[in-house]
Amino acid sequence: MTASTATTGRPDRVTGTPFTRALGIVTLVGVLWLSWFGLFVTPADVNQGESVRIMYAHVPGAWLAYLAFVVTGISSAAYLWRRTRSLTWDRIAGASAEIGVLFMGISLVTGSLWGRLTWGTFWTWDARLTTTAFLFVTYVGYLAVRNLGGSHHQRARRSAVLALLAVLEIPLVHFSVELWNSLHQEASVAGNTDVTMDGLMLFTLFLGVIVFTLMYVWLLLHRQRALALQDLVDDTGLDLAIAARRAEVG
Amino acid sequence: MDDLGFIVGSYAVTLVAVGLFAWSVVRRSRRLAEQVPPEDRPWT
């Protein structure tokens, strides 16, 4: 029996709570619902044909990456502000950035598959695609910087500064289709007052955004708690190492 | 349908990637929790 099971009796309650378990169940049901609607129920698009089904995974993935990176930026600002300085903000920032990189990667891959069907190529150095790839690489760099070592507060400070710079890229990515001549289409729903999309397609797109957001909250809570555990283990290890060194010297 | 592989592939990539990430988070947490007493976990 591990220490965890000996003390709690339930190994599955490491980072979970009744709320996260309920959230997990709702999210799983939502994923099944979204997959069913996206693959079988919604109609094919007049112009894109069947490939429009990829949009129900691609668009929410991109939305979630934006959301996650904005949360990383806000949490980083909260850490840097003296009144709210807490390592919890730093861990939320780190956890959110990891999830953002995951979903940005998903968005790049699903967008690439859609591009092959619609444009005839997996990749082109288009403004939206290039700025998105740059954003992805920036946050991979942010995660690398988080792992450079030092104390928890050193890690938090340097990564918070980087996060505040990196978040400025998001408007550039979002408005790249308007700033440059882009192959990528402009926003069909967000910021558009004249939405002409079929009702079922629009519903499925919104369902995707909601389901992916629930997924994000679940992942964020668990990952943030895992990072808190990691910090506690690191602190304990450091205390033991200092005690051992003192014993050697004494 | 020629598009089927790409469409199903996009859903598979999404679900597998998220599933693997979630699994790795839970697995890492369980390993770390063996070294941390429950009173140090404020969410429990």
Side-chain angles (χ1 to χ4, degrees):
Chain A
M1 185 187 293
T2 64
S4 171
T5 54
T7 49
T8 65
R10 287 288 300 271
D12 58 324
R13 289 191 176 170
V14 173
T15 52
T17 58
F19 172 73
T20 58
R21 273 187 289 282
L23 180 65
I25 292 166
V26 171
T27 306
L28 277 177
V29 171
V31 166
L32 292 173
W33 189 8
L34 176 65
S35 302
W36 174 250
F37 267 52
L39 288 172
F40 303 107
V41 178
T42 53
D45 184 71
V46 176
N47 299 313
Q48 299 177 44
E50 298 290 344
S51 71
V52 73
R53 300 186 191 285
I54 296 175
M55 289 296 107
Y56 307 123
H58 172 73
V59 175
W63 144 255
L64 198 58
Y66 284 171
L67 172 72
F69 294 151
V70 168
V71 169
T72 296
I74 292 170
S75 305
S76 299
Y79 174 80
L80 288 176
W81 199 29
R82 283 181 190 278
R83 284 188 187 179
T84 53
R85 180 161 298 170
S86 159
L87 283 172
T88 301
W89 288 118
D90 169 63
R91 290 190 284 263
I92 291 172
S96 192
E98 281 185 24
I99 300 164
V101 165
L102 172 75
F103 279 92
M104 189 100 280
I106 287 171
S107 185
L108 283 167
V109 172
T110 54
S112 180
L113 292 170
W114 179 85
R116 179 70 183 81
L117 292 177
T118 311
W119 299 335
T121 179
F122 285 107
W123 184 264
T124 177
W125 293 104
D126 167 83
R128 169 60 70 81
L129 275 65
T130 306
T131 51
T132 303
F134 188 59
L135 185 68
F136 176 76
V137 171
T138 301
Y139 277 91
V140 170
Y142 166 86
L143 293 178
V145 166
R146 287 188 66 84
N147 289 310
L148 282 179
S151 71
H152 299 329
H153 282 285
Q154 284 172 332
R155 172 197 72 196
R157 244 192 326 273
R158 66 169 180 256
S159 50
V161 172
L162 183 57
L164 289 180
L165 293 173
V167 79
L168 298 175
E169 281 180 42
I170 292 175
L172 186 73
V173 175
H174 187 70
F175 293 110
S176 59
V177 288
E178 294 170 22
L179 293 171
W180 291 281
N181 285 328
S182 177
L183 191 58
H184 195 285
Q185 70 212 51
E186 293 184 12
S188 306
V189 179
N192 191 344
T193 53
D194 184 27
V195 180
T196 54
M197 196 183 286
D198 171 80
L200 195 56
M201 293 166 91
L202 194 61
F203 171 79
T204 309
L205 202 57
F206 277 119
L207 178 68
V209 168
I210 290 166
V211 169
F212 274 51
T213 306
L214 293 176
M215 221 186 272
Y216 166 75
V217 174
W218 190 93
L219 289 170
L220 183 70
L221 287 171
H222 281 273
R223 186 65 188 120
Q224 189 271 130
R225 288 167 185 171
L227 288 173
L229 290 175
Q230 182 68 62
D231 283 354
L232 280 167
V233 169
D234 289 346
D235 288 341
T236 310
L238 186 64
D239 289 346
L240 288 173
I242 291 169
R245 183 71 185 130
R246 280 186 180 148
E248 277 176 26
V249 173
Chain B
M1 187 168 61
D2 293 341
D3 301 352
L4 188 66
F6 288 87
I7 295 165
V8 174
S10 67
Y11 281 73
V13 163
T14 304
L15 297 179
V16 169
V18 175
L20 282 176
F21 182 77
W23 176 76
S24 76
V25 168
V26 171
R27 191 165 164 268
R28 263 183 287 182
S29 304
R30 285 184 181 176
R31 204 185 61 232
L32 288 166
E34 291 173 8
Q35 303 166 64
V36 178
E39 58 268 23
D40 287 344
R41 304 178 216 155
W43 55 86
T44 53

